[in-house]
Structure formats: C-alpha cells, structure tokens
Amino acid sequence: MRAWVPTILRSLLLLVLIAFLVSPESFEPLLKPLVQPNAPAIYNQGSLLSLTLLHLRTVFIATLAATIIAVFLAILVTRPFGAEFLALSRSLVNIGQTFPPVAVLALAVPAVGFGEKPTLIALFLYGLLPIFENTLTALTNLPRSVMEAARGSGMTPFQRLIQVELPLSLPVIVAGIRLSVVISLATATIGSTVAAKTLGEVIIAGLQSNNLAFVLQGGLIVGALAVLIYDGLSAIEAMIARRTGAA
C-alpha cells in the first residue's frame, strides 16, 4: 500500500494543477485571504493556461537544442579523432554556469531583441552542462566486455555507437536531461523581464502590485510542473534502465 502513496499524491497534484489552470476562479475563496480588500485574488492580466503552455514550450525548445548539442559534443570528444577537443567542449558548456541567466539575457537582448529569443539563449546555455557531463560519463564508463564483444562481432564504429553505446548510455543521458529541464523550468520565469511569455509574468505582476496571491500562483504552478516532469522523466529513466539491463 505504501508503494502506491507517491503515485496517488502525484496524480492528485496533476488533477489539482489541471483544475486550477482550466478553472482558476474556482480556487478564489482559498486565495482571497492573501490579498488586500478589492484586489483580485486570481491573476487577471492573461490566461494562466496559456502562460503555462508558453512556458513549457520555451523550456522544451531550449532543452531540445541543448540536448542535441551536448550529446553531439560528448560523442565527438569520446571518439579518437575528437579527444583533443574535450577541454574546449567543457569550456563551452560551462559558459551557462559561469554567467548568471540575468547576465545572459542582458547581453542577448541587444543582439536578438526582446521576447522569447533571449530567454531561449539563456536556457540553452544553462542546460548544456548537466546533459554533456552525463553523456560523457555514460559513454566513457560502458562495460568493457560489451564493447569488446561488439568489436569482435565485426561492428563498425558507427554501428557500435548507434546500436550499443547510445542505448546503454540512454538512462544516464535522460538523468542529465531531467536535471536540465528542472533547472530551466525555474530559470524561465526570469524571461518575463525581457517580455517573454512565461509564468514569470504572474510573479512579477504580484511583486509590482504587492499581491501575494499572484506570486503564490506563479510559484506553485512552476513548482508543480517541476515535480511532475521530474517524476515523469525519472519513470522513463527507470524503464529504459530496466530494458537495457534485460537486454
């Protein structure tokens, strides 16, 4: 019975989140005590559902781009012809961690303008490191016996990469993607400071009007999304690990 408790709680969280996004006015009595008299308890400057979907879209695009580049770099530096680029690749993927996202936004706005583009750049740079390091770790710690068997069977280097190395590395790669997504979900809120459509709009509106209910709504939606996506990717990672182990 205890094993089902986390699943039940996650399901309840998902249902509450969907209900709030579809019909936020139903939750007004719960949030009304947090606001001043005559102040709105539910965010009324846009659709929470629309902002949530746009927030998720921004995170998805940035994470997809970061995954493609980070995995490519990790594959490159683990090949004999690309090993000398390891230090350079590490320097590149560390850029996002060296500069705070706010600084990246400030530098990107003059180049690409306001809106979603500077936010995508910041999230892309910020998401490279965990995916790169996890992919690199996975590719350099594959079972030696499996790799020798693949070579002995006559597989070409490309065949070993596609049919052996990447499938065995996939659980660890997904773990890096999971970490990158959770970081990006929270970081994306600052995109609203440069006119990107994210849930940061709700939080900023609450801070500007001293409306605690707005701040709470934006923060809780982002938090709920992070928990649900983290758990979902963890389940996918575990499923892939079981299949890989069985294979």
Side-chain angles (χ1 to χ4, degrees), residues 87 103 151:
R151 292 190 188 94

Side-chain angles (χ1 to χ4, degrees), residues 25-54:
E25 60 277 359
S26 302
F27 293 78
E28 186 172 4
L30 295 175
L31 297 169
K32 200 67 176 176
L34 301 177
V35 299
Q36 300 173 357
N38 300 321
I42 302 297
Y43 182 69
N44 58 356
Q45 299 174 29
S47 167
L48 286 173
L49 177 58
S50 176
L51 286 175
T52 300
L53 293 175
L54 290 171

Side-chain angles (χ1 to χ4, degrees), residues 102-140:
V102 175
V104 176
L105 288 176
L107 293 171
V109 166
V112 299
F114 287 89
E116 187 180 32
K117 290 180 181 178
T119 306
L120 286 172
I121 293 172
L123 296 183
F124 166 75
L125 293 175
Y126 216 57
L128 283 172
L129 182 62
I131 303 174
F132 174 80
E133 289 295 345
N134 274 43
T135 306
L136 182 64
T137 299
L139 290 174
T140 54

Side-chain angles (χ1 to χ4, degrees), residues 34-247:
L34 301 177
V35 299
Q36 300 173 357
N38 300 321
I42 302 297
Y43 182 69
N44 58 356
Q45 299 174 29
S47 167
L48 286 173
L49 177 58
S50 176
L51 286 175
T52 300
L53 293 175
L54 290 171
H55 189 105
L56 289 172
R57 186 190 71 174
T58 300
V59 171
F60 173 78
I61 293 172
T63 303
L64 179 62
T67 299
I68 292 171
I69 298 301
V71 171
F72 172 78
L73 288 176
I75 292 172
L76 174 66
V77 300
T78 53
R79 306 305 101 181
F81 61 83
E84 60 185 279
F85 296 105
L86 176 58
L88 175 61
S89 297
R90 275 219 164 98
S91 298
L92 290 174
V93 300
N94 271 293
I95 290 177
Q97 307 295 324
T98 303
F99 294 96
V102 175
V104 176
L105 288 176
L107 293 171
V109 166
V112 299
F114 287 89
E116 187 180 32
K117 290 180 181 178
T119 306
L120 286 172
I121 293 172
L123 296 183
F124 166 75
L125 293 175
Y126 216 57
L128 283 172
L129 182 62
I131 303 174
F132 174 80
E133 289 295 345
N134 274 43
T135 306
L136 182 64
T137 299
L139 290 174
T140 54
N141 288 279
L142 293 170
R144 183 174 299 177
S145 59
V146 175
M147 297 305 299
E148 289 176 354
R151 292 190 188 94
S153 67
M155 283 186 173
T156 65
F158 183 75
Q159 288 175 326
R160 290 199 300 270
L161 173 65
I162 298 301
Q163 299 178 26
V164 180
E165 295 181 55
L166 287 178
L168 289 176
S169 302
L170 197 53
V172 182
I173 295 174
V174 172
I177 294 172
R178 169 165 48 88
L179 179 58
S180 179
V181 168
V182 172
I183 292 173
S184 293
L185 277 169
T187 308
T189 56
I190 67 170
S192 293
T193 60
V194 291
K197 289 290 183 179
T198 72
L199 289 165
E201 279 192 16
V202 186
I203 298 173
I204 292 172
L207 293 173
Q208 290 177 338
S209 60
N210 195 27
N211 190 317
L212 180 58
F214 284 6
V215 176
L216 197 61
Q217 285 164 61
L220 288 179
I221 293 173
V222 172
L225 289 173
V227 170
L228 292 170
I229 293 175
Y230 182 94
D231 286 346
L233 290 175
S234 294
I236 294 173
E237 178 188 342
M239 179 184 68
I240 295 173
R242 286 195 298 269
R243 291 186 176 181
T244 305

